[in-house]
Amino acid sequence: MTWRGSSPNRTRGRRWMKIRARILERDPLCVICLAKGLIAESKIVDHVLSLAEGGTDDDDNLQGVCKTCSDQKTEEESARAQGRKPGAVTKAKRV
């Protein structure tokens, strides 16, 4: 059984903690910020191609990013999955 929004291919537990430590050691600075000429400390390990879009937990599909870049990338991925433009305002559901 997987959690809602979770991928059965996601690595978890001690194995993930080892991978995370290795990637953050490899990418101490946010790779997305560096590409823009900015400097920010990596705090999050991000999947270049998300698991939902067919990515893997292989090192070559992982990158260290800052929280701001992670949040922005997650919003873009979510928007693609929902067929909307990133940053588009969605109607709130009535309760």
Side-chain angles (χ1 to χ4, degrees):
M1 178 164 118
T2 60
W3 296 325
R4 190 176 122 211
S6 178
S7 170
N9 298 327
R10 184 176 301 275
T11 303
R12 300 189 192 288
R14 289 183 191 159
R15 184 167 177 233
W16 176 253
M17 295 309 293
K18 288 180 181 180
I19 292 169
R20 182 182 185 279
R22 185 173 62 244
I23 299 304
L24 292 178
E25 184 176 329
R26 182 192 73 191
D27 301 335
L29 299 176
C30 174
V31 297
I32 296 172
C33 284
L34 285 174
K36 298 175 186 175
L38 304 171
I39 296 176
E41 184 180 5
S42 290
K43 296 284 188 179
I44 297 169
V45 174
D46 171 67
H47 291 86
V48 176
L49 178 64
S50 72
L51 295 176
E53 295 176 309
T56 68
D57 285 335
D58 294 339
D59 284 12
D60 62 350
N61 189 50
L62 299 173
Q63 61 186 353
V65 298
C66 66
K67 179 160 179 9
T68 301
C69 288
S70 175
D71 290 348
Q72 183 176 5
K73 187 167 179 278
T74 299
E75 165 61 26
E76 291 168 359
E77 291 166 346
S78 177
R80 272 197 313 272
Q82 296 175 16
R84 61 180 171 80
K85 292 183 180 180
V89 178
T90 57
K91 290 185 178 180
K93 293 182 181 178
R94 289 189 145 179
V95 180

